Amino acid sequence: DAGITQSPRHKVTETGTPVTLRCHQTENHRYMYWYRQDPGHGLRLIHYSYGVKDTDKGEVSDGYSVSRSKTEDFLLTLESATSSQTSVYFCAISESGTTDNEQFFGPGTRLTVL
Amino acid sequence: AQSVAQPEDQVNVAEGNPLTVKCTYSVSGNPYLFWYVQYPNRGLQFLLKYITGDNLVKGSYGFEAEFNKSQTSFHLKKPSALVSDSALYFCALLTGRRALTFGSGTRLQVQP
């Protein structure tokens, strides 16, 4: 497996609280991504980063923010968690973001918002 | 709009039989297509990709995929299924953002 870890692996929180998920890589890859996985939807892109301090929105970015202050870390923050954000969150990395480079995925974080 | 469709929620096949998991796509321009597999409580694992060249792409674990431009399809195949192939399979398309657009997934169940 590629050197990608996610923390925490499981979290239960209450509606309205802020939550931060962390993705850490040891591969020194430039591109990092956050996806959420929901039944019937596959994986959907939340945000991605193409370098330190360079980020952009994906298709389901409302209610989420990200930060990347170091190459190895990509943080996803739910500013005020809602029940609709209950999901499994996956981080992915890619060396260059070109068509030749597949993405490698972390083990996922299961988030439950009560 | 760029999109990927997996028309079957589940595919059942007997061990030893050939398997096919279907994927169709919609994109303007050249498609860059991927297949991933997800085992229970695990992240996604890369199986294979089509960028350009031969329409038959070989990947990991004996899987292959056939790209068909006229039918806008990229079906995943394996000549002889194993029980251990039972998992969730995702087809994906690389977008202009250099991120992936995924299909909804197909659960493959291989019966002994």
Side-chain angles (χ1 to χ4, degrees), chain A residues 57-70:
Chain A
K57 296 179 179 179
E59 64 177 300
V60 291
S61 59
D62 287 349
Y64 301 95
S65 62
V66 290
S67 66
R68 191 166 178 204
S69 59
K70 298 185 290 185

Side-chain angles (χ1 to χ4, degrees), chain B residues 8 10-14 17-20 106-111:
Chain B
E8 301 158 317
Q10 181 156 327
V11 170
N12 297 309
V13 64
N17 283 0
L19 69 87
T20 298
T106 299
R107 187 165 300 281
L108 174 66
Q109 192 70 37
V110 181
Q111 285 116 9

Side-chain angles (χ1 to χ4, degrees), chain B residues 11 27 33 36 53 63-64 68 85 88 112:
Chain B
V11 170
V27 67
L33 295 157
Y36 284 82
F63 283 93
E64 57 191 24
N68 187 317
D85 292 330
L88 188 57

Side-chain angles (χ1 to χ4, degrees), chain A residues 1 9 31 33 35 37 40-43 45 48 56-58 90 97-103 105-107 110, chain B residues 32 34 36 38 41-46 49-51 88 90 94-105:
Chain A
D1 289 345
R9 294 292 314 280
Y31 281 72
Y33 310 82
Y35 294 90
Q37 182 179 20
H41 290 279
L43 280 77
L45 180 68
Y48 72 106
D56 202 355
K57 296 179 179 179
F90 287 99
T98 68
T99 56
D100 286 345
N101 287 108
E102 61 267 26
Q103 294 179 20
F105 285 78
R110 184 173 297 275
Chain B
Y32 303 109
F34 299 77
Y36 284 82
Q38 184 180 32
N41 301 312
R42 300 284 299 275
L44 277 68
Q45 296 178 29
F46 169 78
K49 64 185 176 185
Y50 173 82
I51 304 300
L88 188 57
F90 291 98
L94 191 69
T95 71
R97 286 196 176 103
R98 296 296 181 250
L100 292 171
T101 294
F102 285 86
S104 55

Side-chain angles (χ1 to χ4, degrees), chain B residues 20-92:
Chain B
T20 298
V21 182
K22 296 179 180 177
C23 172
T24 59
Y25 66 90
S26 174
V27 67
S28 55
N30 293 323
Y32 303 109
L33 295 157
F34 299 77
W35 275 102
Y36 284 82
V37 60
Q38 184 180 32
Y39 297 100
N41 301 312
R42 300 284 299 275
L44 277 68
Q45 296 178 29
F46 169 78
L47 277 180
L48 51 81
K49 64 185 176 185
Y50 173 82
I51 304 300
T52 187
D54 289 341
N55 290 342
L56 187 63
V57 179
K58 294 193 182 298
S60 306
Y61 313 122
F63 283 93
E64 57 191 24
E66 186 172 9
F67 173 73
N68 187 317
K69 188 172 184 177
S70 63
Q71 297 186 4
T72 62
S73 66
F74 188 55
H75 300 333
L76 182 70
K77 301 184 178 188
K78 189 174 183 183
S80 179
L82 300 172
V83 172
S84 58
D85 292 330
S86 298
L88 188 57
Y89 290 81
F90 291 98
C91 183

